[in-house]
Amino acid sequence: MTQQYFRGKRLFFFLAMISVFAPISTDIYLPSMPNMLKYFAVPQELINLTLSGFFIFYSIGMLLWGPLSDKFGRKPILFIGLGIYTLASLCCTLAGSIWQLIMLRCLQGLGGSASVVVAGAIIKDSYEHKERETAIAVVQSIAVLAPMVAPMLGALLVTLSDRWQLVFFVLTMAGGLITWATYFFSETHRCEPGYTLRSSLLDLKVALQNYSLTALLIIFSLPLVPFLSYIVLSSYIYMQIFGLDAPTFSVFFALNASCSIIAPILYIKVLRGRIQTKNLVALCFSIIIVSGLCMYRWGSIDQTTFLLSLLPASLAGSILRPPGANLMLSRHKNAGTTSALMGFSAMLLGGIGTLLASLGWTNLIEFLGGLFAIVGLAALTAWLFVYERILE
């Protein structure tokens, strides 16, 4: 359907804005986590549960919102999810205990998940084949400004006030702004006659019975395990191990996040069409393995060496997203269901990564390096096997 307000680049920008709730909801309050430790006077593991809980319920919510958007349309589901997110963010500012904050973060993740799954469905509704791949890359390159800016904004908020609640007030304002913008979005999906709520939820089962889709979901979600572990541990590594202050930490965090801007452009302008998909994906997983081994061996030297060992993995992981998403979206006809499963698998494995990061490792950097290398090897092996047996 024709967009009255969001046309061309405006639609790209709108899709990017509704795709950033996961990174902005985590990265902006990473610099505040040491203050939260002091405020609640609880172990680090409990503070980390505010991240783990968010990602787990974020992934569960996708399984709900995706099929519902196929049944009721993209716009109403987006409104409901954003409303829940905004209300939960406001309530987070009033949390009186760590357990209240954990529960509210779970609710925040549940509501925020609607935005990213609907964004993926809108891309499939609106674009075909190579245009879709380009749209994914462009939206990704815009959306990654959030994980770059968010920790800087979080560090600024920490500098202005030691009250961690200020972060969630900012998230409340962001949620309210995007909810208002959604009013001007025109629906892109017409529900099929006879497509009931029950059939829309059962469509998840139908999609998972497509073994090629299921295999791709696992393969392209595996890198989220070490990357989300890094998100959880980044503030501790830079601020406690290397002794950086909050503003300097945010700069190092943003330098790594900048790979996500470079990667889609590199893929569209240079790599696509020149390297076969099979070989490109294999190369990216191989880079993640080497990056992890370098981090394990030399990452503890200083903050710059740690960053340099991480950058190749971040670049390779970001290059994987457009071809991976395009492959998965082409495997099932219902965009809401496919987008839901893509987000669910990514966030579920990411949630596992956050839990692994909370197990009290003696050397956090060696743990991260080993995790990158092991997961990269597993993904590479699975990709080569699946491509030969299922995709070719």
Side-chain angles (χ1 to χ4, degrees):
M1 298 181 187
T2 304
Q3 294 291 328
Q4 183 177 357
Y5 297 100
F6 294 110
R7 296 178 181 175
K9 293 180 180 179
R10 291 181 184 178
L11 181 58
F12 284 158
F13 185 75
F14 175 72
L15 292 173
M17 291 302 98
I18 65 175
S19 299
V20 301
F21 281 96
I24 199 174
S25 299
T26 54
D27 299 350
I28 195 173
Y29 90 120
L30 292 177
S32 298
M33 291 178 76
N35 288 342
M36 295 169 68
L37 274 172
K38 297 177 184 178
Y39 181 90
F40 290 112
V42 295
Q44 174 185 325
E45 289 75 15
L46 284 181
I47 299 295
N48 288 348
L49 284 179
T50 63
L51 287 169
S52 302
F54 177 90
F55 283 116
I56 290 171
F57 275 80
Y58 195 88
S59 61
I60 292 172
M62 289 180 178
L63 293 181
L64 173 67
W65 301 122
L68 288 178
S69 75
D70 285 333
K71 166 61 180 174
F72 298 106
R74 316 304 184 201
K75 187 171 181 176
I77 297 304
L78 192 55
F79 260 128
I80 295 170
L82 288 171
I84 293 172
Y85 173 90
T86 304
L87 180 61
S89 299
L90 179 61
C91 291
C92 282
T93 66
L94 307 174
S97 71
I98 187 60
W99 292 110
Q100 288 180 6
L101 183 60
I102 290 170
M103 288 188 290
L104 288 168
R105 283 283 290 169
C106 291
L107 185 61
Q108 191 186 39
L110 185 67
S113 61
S115 60
V116 71
V117 73
V118 168
I122 292 171
I123 287 175
K124 187 174 182 182
D125 293 341
S126 306
Y127 305 99
E128 296 287 341
H129 307 300
K130 280 195 173 182
E131 285 187 354
R132 182 192 305 151
E133 201 172 60
T134 302
I136 293 169
V138 172
V139 169
Q140 176 189 333
S141 63
I142 299 173
V144 295
L145 291 174
M148 291 180 63
V149 174
M152 294 182 180
L153 177 58
L156 176 62
L157 295 176
V158 168
T159 305
L160 294 175
S161 172
D162 61 357
R163 292 181 62 83
W164 56 267
Q165 294 92 336
L166 183 59
V167 169
F168 290 100
F169 179 76
V170 172
L171 292 178
T172 303
M173 296 297 100
L177 179 63
I178 300 300
T179 304
W180 171 77
T182 301
Y183 175 80
F184 301 96
F185 171 73
S186 299
E187 181 61 66
T188 59
H189 175 67
R190 289 186 184 274
C191 299
E192 298 179 12
Y195 194 64
T196 65
L197 179 58
R198 181 175 180 273
S199 64
S200 65
L201 293 174
L202 286 176
D203 193 47
L204 290 167
K205 179 181 178 181
V206 174
L208 288 173
Q209 289 174 339
N210 182 334
Y211 297 119
S212 62
L213 174 59
T214 302
L216 291 172
L217 288 169
I218 296 171
I219 290 169
F220 286 103
S221 298
L222 275 172
L224 271 293
V225 176
F227 281 116
L228 267 295
S229 292
Y230 161 72
I231 293 295
V232 171
L233 298 174
S234 59
S235 61
Y236 303 113
I237 290 173
Y238 281 117
M239 298 174 72
Q240 294 186 357
I241 295 178
F242 294 129
L244 304 185
D245 57 19
T248 308
F249 155 68
S250 69
V251 172
F252 273 82
F253 192 90
L255 285 172
N256 181 67
S258 66
C259 289
S260 296
I261 292 180
I262 299 169
I265 299 171
L266 181 63
Y267 173 72
I268 294 296
K269 299 293 185 181
V270 179
L271 300 175
R272 186 176 66 176
R274 290 181 172 85
I275 303 178
Q276 185 184 6
T277 300
K278 174 189 175 181
N279 297 330
L280 177 62
V281 173
L283 175 63
C284 288
F285 286 138
S286 299
I287 291 172
I288 290 173
I289 295 170
V290 174
S291 184
L293 292 174
C294 291
M295 188 186 305
Y296 182 90
R297 178 64 180 85
W298 297 293
S300 299
I301 294 176
D302 56 34
Q303 61 268 21
T304 303
T305 307
F306 174 75
L307 175 64
L308 291 175
S309 67
L310 177 64
L311 285 174
S314 298
L315 184 64
S318 297
I319 289 173
L320 283 169
R321 290 173 193 163
N326 193 39
L327 278 172
M328 289 182 281
L329 284 170
S330 65
R331 295 281 153 177
H332 188 66
K333 65 174 183 177
N334 293 322
T337 297
T338 309
S339 183
L341 289 172
M342 288 167 55
F344 173 78
S345 59
M347 289 299 103
L348 182 62
L349 289 177
I352 292 173
T354 65
L355 290 173
L356 287 174
S358 304
L359 295 181
W361 302 92
T362 303
N363 190 314
L364 298 181
I365 295 174
E366 287 186 356
F367 157 72
L368 266 183
L371 190 61
F372 271 103
I374 292 170
V375 169
L377 180 60
L380 174 61
T381 304
W383 168 252
L384 294 176
F385 176 84
V386 166
Y387 197 91
E388 295 291 342
R389 302 292 182 89
I390 299 177
L391 298 180
E392 272 195 337

